[in-house]
Amino acid sequence: MLHSAHRPYPRGARVAHLLREEIAAVLPRLHGMSSGLSPLPPSITMVDLPTDMRSATVYFSLMDGPDRADTMREVLQDHAGEIRQMLGKRLALRRIPPLHFVYDARFDRGAEMAELLAHLPPAPEDLP
């Protein structure tokens, strides 16, 4: 039997991964109940869970861009307690940490860079 210190990654990382998957799974249910959400629910990109596991920062992105990020964050934050209740029923954890939602703009920056690169003039031919 392996001692917990010999696990491939720490408990906090495992719980963060589990929370990310489960929050993504419950959002479609929340999505149907809330008028503030678009036809596409947000994608959960990452959950940051400190070692004390007293709170979780949940990063999300939107397929239709950053225009609705503030509204979506407010809707998610307003429903954080409900999401925690759903998670409590689904997970065998003693305590579900409070959830704080943050828009993950990394993907927007990547799309902006790709757009800029696509509009660059072609490179001059190499001269001998």
Side-chain angles (χ1 to χ4, degrees):
M1 183 169 148
L2 289 176
H3 186 270
S4 62
H6 294 103
R7 294 202 176 175
Y9 56 107
R11 182 173 190 270
R14 293 191 312 272
V15 172
H17 179 77
L18 180 64
L19 286 173
R20 184 182 64 78
E21 289 180 351
E22 292 299 322
I23 292 169
V26 301
L27 279 184
R29 288 193 218 165
L30 174 69
H31 169 61
M33 297 183 290
S34 178
S35 61
L37 299 175
S38 75
L40 296 172
S43 297
I44 303 303
T45 58
M46 180 175 73
V47 173
D48 184 27
L49 192 65
T51 54
D52 66 4
M53 292 191 267
R54 291 193 179 270
S55 68
T57 303
V58 181
Y59 293 88
F60 69 94
S61 67
L62 299 170
M63 295 299 289
D64 52 355
D67 296 338
R68 296 176 316 95
D70 288 336
T71 302
M72 180 63 69
R73 191 199 59 74
E74 289 174 15
V75 169
L76 290 169
Q77 203 59 58
D78 288 347
H79 288 85
E82 185 178 348
I83 295 168
R84 285 180 71 200
Q85 284 181 342
M86 290 179 189
L87 294 173
K89 292 176 184 175
R90 295 172 63 104
L91 300 175
L93 293 176
R94 183 177 298 167
R95 182 179 170 282
I96 305 296
L99 306 174
H100 304 283
F101 292 91
V102 175
Y103 181 68
D104 189 347
R106 292 178 299 168
F107 300 101
D108 298 333
R109 286 189 218 116
E112 289 171 8
M113 290 301 291
E115 182 71 21
L116 288 172
L117 292 173
H119 289 91
L120 285 176
E125 297 294 324
D126 290 339
L127 299 174

